[in-house]
């Protein structure tokens, strides 16, 4: 939704800039400094941008409908989204990230399940071993309640029994073998999960660094395209360049801004994916995760 809203803002800015350019070309045409073709091209370009704005607004409505559906609301209900997403550029400790990923809740739950199976196996083995049974009792015996607690009416009993299992039809042995098989299978699954987690975290870290570099590059490109467009407009007013040069500068500026929106979105998504892979909520800042961001002396 945030990306769709930013696209609308970008198209609106491009539309306003093109409308200003059309006014400039109209004024130059009236003064005899531009041809009718230049003015017509500016009008056509402005007309082509308006459908882009409609498409961007439709995308925003569709994304809002999806979010409403995910939250259990009616798709057409209004939404107000606060754009508080900040691009985090903290340096990351790869070794700590890989270590933390091994201790995330789903991995620890699987490891705990392996421990439970091992204790269950020990209990099953103990069922087929000799064991002692002890029993004791103490009380009073009497014909009437008033003589029940008289001297000599108390009694006690104690017994000890040794139980030696001889044969159970291989039932216990089969249960133990079944549990051992489950332990080996679960341990193999756990090992595979740990490796998959390492691959996932390493891939996210690599993609995140690349996305940050791309974002820095497209931001710089956008700043330069803004400067080129301003200079082109000034040169057009002075009659030193034609409208096509300005149109190229405007197109480059629009592409640069679109690239910034996409690159920023990619960094935000990868940052959230990294936090989730480490077992943290995407709402937690990178600097709030212990040990992930190296301390600067």
């Amino acid at each position: 939704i945030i990306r769709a809203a930013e696209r609308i803002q970008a198209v609106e800015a491009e539309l306003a800039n093109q409308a200003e350019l059309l006014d400039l070309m109209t004024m130059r045409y009236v003064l005899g400094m531009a041809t009718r073709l230049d003015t017509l091209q500016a009008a056509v370009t402005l007309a082509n941008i308006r459908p882009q704005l409609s498409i961007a607004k439709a995308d925003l409505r569709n994304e809002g409908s999806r979010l409403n559906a995910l939250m259990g609301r009616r798709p057409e209900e209004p939404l107000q989204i606060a754009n508080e997403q900040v691009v985090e550029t903290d340096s990351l400790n790869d070794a700590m990230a890989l270590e933390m990923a091994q201790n995330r809740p789903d991995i620890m739950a699987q490891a705990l399940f392996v421990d439970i199976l091992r204790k269950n196996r020990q209990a099953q083995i103990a069922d087929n071993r000799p064991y002692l049974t002890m029993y004791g009792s103490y009380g009073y015996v009497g014909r009437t309640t008033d003589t029940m607690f008289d001297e000599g009416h108390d009694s006690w009993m104690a017994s000890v029994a040794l139980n030696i299992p001889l044969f159970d039809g291989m039932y216990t042995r089969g249960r133990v073998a079944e549990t051992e098989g489950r332990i080996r299978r679960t341990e193999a699954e756990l090992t595979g999960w740990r490796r998959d987690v390492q691959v996932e975290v390493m891939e996210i870290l690599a993609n995140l660094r690349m996305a940050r570099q791309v974002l820095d590059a497209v931001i710089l490109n956008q700043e330069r395209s803004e400067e080129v467009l301003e200079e082109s407009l000034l040169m057009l007013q002075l009659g030193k360049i034609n409208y096509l040069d300005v149109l190229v500068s405007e197109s480059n500026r629009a592409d640069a801004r679109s690239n910034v929106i996409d690159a920023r979105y990619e960094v935000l998504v990868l940052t959230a994916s990294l936090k989730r892979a480490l077992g943290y909520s995407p709402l937690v800042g990178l600097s709030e995760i212990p040990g992930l961001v190296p301390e600067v002396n």
Side-chain angles (χ1 to χ4, degrees):
I1 287 178
I2 292 173
R3 181 174 63 170
E6 290 179 349
R7 288 190 181 278
I8 291 178
Q9 296 174 1
V11 176
E12 288 176 343
E14 185 180 359
L15 188 63
N17 189 74
Q18 190 62 38
E20 181 181 353
L21 184 58
L22 176 59
D23 294 338
L24 177 60
M25 294 306 300
T26 303
M27 181 186 66
R28 286 175 55 83
Y29 174 72
V30 173
L31 297 175
M33 300 175 62
T35 64
R36 182 174 180 275
L37 179 60
D38 292 336
T39 307
L40 182 60
Q41 287 177 335
V44 170
T45 303
L46 179 63
N48 289 333
I49 296 177
R50 290 196 175 97
Q52 298 179 16
L53 181 60
S54 300
I55 294 173
K57 290 181 178 179
D59 291 340
L60 180 60
R61 287 193 298 269
N62 293 335
E63 295 298 336
S65 298
R66 292 191 185 97
L67 181 58
N68 274 329
L70 289 173
M71 296 189 299
R73 292 156 48 99
R74 295 178 61 86
E76 68 275 9
E77 290 188 17
L79 281 172
Q80 186 175 4
I81 305 298
N83 186 1
E84 299 176 350
Q85 302 296 324
V86 179
V87 175
E88 301 177 79
T89 58
D90 302 290
S91 59
L92 303 174
N93 188 336
D94 291 9
M96 181 59 66
L98 292 173
E99 181 180 351
M100 294 171 61
Q102 298 298 318
N103 298 322
R104 72 185 194 185
D106 56 338
I107 299 296
M108 297 305 297
Q110 187 73 357
L112 180 61
F113 183 63
V114 173
D115 293 338
I116 293 175
L117 289 176
R118 289 172 178 168
K119 294 185 181 298
N120 188 29
R121 179 186 58 183
Q122 293 176 356
Q124 291 171 349
I125 294 175
D127 289 341
N128 202 34
R129 291 179 177 176
Y131 61 92
L132 292 175
T133 301
M134 302 181 64
Y135 175 77
S137 65
Y138 179 80
Y140 292 87
V141 179
R143 293 181 177 273
T144 60
T145 57
D146 57 343
T147 61
M148 182 176 296
F149 299 103
D150 292 348
E151 184 178 356
H153 286 200
D154 57 330
S155 64
W156 62 275
M157 181 184 66
S159 63
V160 178
L162 175 62
N163 297 271
I164 303 178
L166 297 178
F167 182 73
D168 62 352
M170 308 296 288
Y171 175 69
T172 301
R173 183 175 179 179
R175 292 173 59 198
V176 172
E178 179 184 4
T179 304
E180 288 178 348
R182 295 180 63 187
I183 291 174
R184 289 194 295 269
R185 184 186 65 185
T186 307
E187 287 178 340
E189 292 176 352
L190 179 60
T191 301
W193 286 7
R194 291 186 184 277
R195 291 174 180 172
D196 291 341
V197 166
Q198 288 183 334
V199 173
E200 178 187 3
V201 172
M202 291 177 65
E203 183 178 357
I204 293 176
L205 287 171
N207 292 337
L208 179 58
R209 287 193 174 90
M210 180 179 63
R212 287 179 175 179
Q213 293 175 0
V214 171
L215 179 60
D216 294 338
V218 296
I219 288 177
L220 180 60
N221 186 35
Q222 182 186 13
E223 294 174 353
R224 291 177 177 175
S225 63
E226 293 282 355
E227 296 175 358
V228 171
L229 179 60
E230 292 178 2
E231 184 176 350
S232 298
L233 291 173
L234 180 59
M235 297 289 287
L236 179 63
Q237 292 177 358
L238 298 176
K240 294 185 177 181
I241 60 174
N242 56 31
Y243 169 71
L244 292 178
D245 296 328
V246 179
L247 184 60
V248 171
S249 300
E250 172 64 30
S251 177
N252 292 336
R253 197 280 300 268
D255 291 341
R257 186 162 187 176
S258 178
N259 291 336
V260 169
I261 294 174
D262 292 337
R264 181 175 180 272
Y265 172 80
E266 188 69 15
V267 172
L268 291 174
V269 170
L270 288 173
T271 302
S273 298
L274 176 62
K275 296 173 184 177
R276 183 178 181 275
L278 300 181
Y280 286 86
S281 168
L283 300 179
V284 178
L286 291 175
S287 58
E288 299 176 13
I289 300 178
L292 181 60
V293 178
E295 297 181 359
V296 180
N297 297 327

